[in-house]
Amino acid sequence: MTTEQLLYAIGGVGEDLVADASVRPRKRRAWPRRLASAAVFALVLTGALRIAQRLDYFSFGCSAWPGTIIGDAYYYNVSHSGLWQWTEKHGNEKLFGKLWTDGWLVTEDAYYYSHGLTLYRQDRHTGKKTKLFRLSRADATHFGYEIAENGSLILTVYHKTGEYKYQLRVDALTGELLETLTGRISYADRFTLLWTERYPEVDTRDLELVDIGGDEYTHFYDLRENGVSILPKGTCVSKYARSIGAYTAYALYPADAEERKTRSRTDSSDLLLLRPDGNDAVISAPPSGFQDAAGDWLYYVHQEDGVNGVLYSVGVYNMVTGEARELTPSEPWQFYSLETDGNVMYTCVPWGKAHTRWRLEYDAKGGPVALTLLDADICVPK
Amino acid sequence: MEDEQIIGLYWSRNEGAIRASEDKYGAYCRAIAMNILSSIPDAEESVNDTWLGAWNAIPPQRPAILSAFFGAITRRISLNRRRDARTQKRGGGQAELALDELSEIVPASSSVEEAIEEKELAGAVDAFLRTLPETERRVFLRRYWYLDSISDIARRFGFSESKTKSMLHRCRGKLLSHLRKGGYISI
């Protein structure tokens, strides 16, 4: 047999087969294929966008933001990456990826981190991870959390479509619901305080804000301890407390509504500084505000217009003596945000990604006088 | 005109049968001839010879499927014409390529009797084709019966050329195996 014979022989197959092969096949519709391709593309795109969103590529969180000092470790956020820890011994270590965590809270005992509406706890000593609780989608769209003085967790739960918020207290070890601190507070309700606003926590002190009225936008409050006002005579505060290290501060406003009208709502330079031991002080705040405290010293960033642009420096204020001074850095530097424990200071600027480490230098009287640069950017592995 | 009527004209020896055949199946047969001969004048002659062949065959034959009947005549005439042209160093086209491809199945060293009856071999191929899935069978016939080019087949079925080639490759492999089992080829 030859190929030619085979070719001729193929010509002899049944006429029905030949006729069947001459029928033009029904054109395969292009749209199901295109639809499938479009669906896959949309799926991939959605996934990519979701990942990009989770990694902060669509937010303004790409700059450095002050971290937290606990013991000899510094915990800080790295944009598009997650929570990192820096220690002198181990350098940089990544603790949690941004992809799987939405927020963190670091305490001496544990890391608390959330993903969606679920909060987890990881013991810092044993490494054991515990799922504390999961909020229902019917009741929450997002939430925040803070650790209370008694060690419990206070959750501020938000529902952005229902437009309300409320607070819960849960056990920080088991996630058990201990107390419903507030009912649902409408976003439109300007005057009902959250529990943490109404009862500011300063150690175990029994403090409460009492509404003394205001205008249609803002109410002002008397701050009472054990039912007795602790504000300087003729003053009141807004509901916004500031944390300065371990201290809590309130800006002081005139109690008299008419007198208050003559001033801008945000124009207050006097601060009431609440200390755990009750030795409260009224101090004058610098325009940029105090950022941290260690011992009797409050730390702030001083900005001044210079010939070549804005000059930045770190200033300190002694809350007991009222003494103020600027610290001399070992190298010219730009300062904006700082975090200190009194021994080292970490600084960063929102227009950069570096976290800079400094050592605080003291004079013979124990007052901070200078900053020595230790590491220009701890984020860069050495 | 219905096929039955055309066949009726052939049976009644009415020359209108040829015009009717040309009107209805001229393009179809011309396409087959062109695939094999790649020459318009040669294809035209093949088609004309087809009507003559049909005139001689009907009666006594009464084709069940007239298109396939005419196509088979055109195919054979065109292959013959191609063979003659090749001996005169002319020709080319899809038939050469198809032969190349089929040489995978029929090795030069085939030891089986050369003179296998063409009809017997056609029967074996027919039986084989009936075992194939519909699309594969149609693609195979488009390539080796109609001698369509790969690109035409790919376009016709909405496949890529590589998919078409690979489908034909698989079919040839299966045909080889089928012919071996039937004792038509043994190596």
Side-chain angles (χ1 to χ4, degrees), chain A residues 1-28 33, chain B residues 65 68-69 75-76 79-80 82-83 86 99 103 106 114 118 121-122 126 130 137-138 141-142 144-146 156 158 185:
Chain A
M1 181 176 64
T2 64
T3 51
E4 197 125 344
Q5 275 181 302
L6 180 59
L7 191 62
Y8 273 95
I10 289 170
V13 299
E15 287 177 352
D16 57 326
L17 296 181
V18 176
D20 176 65
S22 73
V23 173
R24 193 158 281 277
R26 201 160 32 149
K27 283 248 176 186
R28 293 206 302 173
R33 232 177 176 180
Chain B
I65 302 170
F69 177 77
R75 185 179 186 274
R76 175 168 291 276
L79 284 175
N80 290 341
R82 180 204 62 86
R83 189 178 52 202
R86 205 174 49 166
L99 282 168
S103 65
V106 189
E114 293 258 328
E118 186 185 313
L121 190 55
D126 183 284
R130 291 179 196 280
R137 184 177 67 236
R138 286 175 173 173
L141 284 167
R142 291 307 314 181
Y144 300 115
W145 198 98
Y146 288 94
R156 184 184 187 96
I185 298 169

Side-chain angles (χ1 to χ4, degrees), chain A residues 20-258:
Chain A
D20 176 65
S22 73
V23 173
R24 193 158 281 277
R26 201 160 32 149
K27 283 248 176 186
R28 293 206 302 173
R29 288 182 187 153
W31 67 262
R33 232 177 176 180
R34 286 185 192 152
L35 196 69
S37 303
V40 169
F41 178 73
L43 210 63
V44 169
L45 188 69
T46 306
L49 289 175
R50 176 85 179 126
I51 289 170
Q53 190 181 30
R54 288 211 58 86
L55 291 177
D56 277 347
Y57 282 100
F58 298 131
S59 71
F60 295 102
C62 59
S63 58
W65 194 250
T68 306
I69 301 171
I70 293 180
D72 61 352
Y74 179 63
Y75 301 89
Y76 60 101
N77 178 63
V78 175
S79 27
H80 318 314
S81 174
L83 178 67
W84 287 68
Q85 170 187 258
W86 186 91
T87 55
E88 195 149 20
K89 191 175 176 186
H90 300 294
N92 283 313
E93 289 172 286
K94 187 175 180 179
L95 297 177
F96 298 105
K98 185 77 189 74
L99 199 59
W100 304 111
T101 46
D102 296 320
W104 313 281
L105 173 68
V106 186
T107 69
E108 289 184 356
D109 298 322
Y111 307 109
Y112 295 91
Y113 57 97
S114 59
H115 180 68
L117 293 176
T118 309
L119 185 67
Y120 300 88
R121 178 185 191 274
Q122 182 176 350
D123 193 287
R124 288 183 56 178
H125 310 295
T126 64
K128 186 185 173 193
K129 292 178 184 174
T130 312
K131 180 179 171 182
L132 290 181
F133 64 86
R134 179 178 167 76
L135 288 162
S136 153
R137 284 195 183 279
D139 296 330
T141 52
H142 55 293
F143 72 104
Y145 44 98
E146 57 193 285
I147 200 88
E149 290 291 345
N150 66 2
S152 62
L153 275 171
I154 295 177
L155 313 185
T156 305
V157 184
Y158 301 89
H159 201 296
K160 64 182 177 187
T161 46
E163 298 194 341
Y164 59 80
K165 58 189 174 181
Y166 57 96
Q167 285 188 317
L168 307 170
R169 186 193 295 281
V170 299
D171 189 291
L173 286 173
T174 63
E176 180 194 352
L177 177 65
L178 301 175
E179 192 180 357
T180 299
L181 298 173
T182 69
R184 290 179 177 180
I185 302 170
S186 165
Y187 284 1
D189 181 351
R190 299 167 191 271
F191 308 125
T192 303
L193 300 180
L194 286 167
W195 193 91
T196 47
E197 291 170 332
R198 186 170 176 187
Y199 301 104
E201 285 206 320
V202 180
D203 200 41
T204 55
R205 295 174 65 177
D206 181 11
L207 300 166
E208 182 182 5
L209 289 187
V210 178
D211 196 332
I212 59 167
D215 58 27
E216 56 185 309
Y217 300 109
T218 313
H219 274 199
F220 287 85
Y221 304 86
D222 185 19
L223 177 58
R224 296 177 187 173
E225 183 167 20
N226 301 316
V228 179
S229 175
I230 57 169
L231 293 179
K233 196 174 178 188
T235 64
C236 65
V237 296
S238 74
K239 65 179 181 181
Y240 302 108
R242 306 175 199 175
S243 290
I244 305 172
Y247 310 133
T248 300
Y250 282 96
L252 293 174
Y253 297 90
D256 180 72
E258 290 304 314

Side-chain angles (χ1 to χ4, degrees), chain B residues 95-135:
Chain B
E96 307 303 323
L97 298 172
L99 282 168
D100 265 358
E101 290 163 18
L102 290 174
S103 65
E104 285 175 19
I105 301 171
V106 189
S109 59
S110 174
S111 61
V112 175
E113 185 60 49
E114 293 258 328
I116 297 169
E117 281 287 329
E118 186 185 313
K119 206 169 180 181
E120 194 185 341
L121 190 55
V125 175
D126 183 284
F128 160 73
L129 287 175
R130 291 179 196 280
T131 67
L132 286 182
E134 183 183 80
T135 305

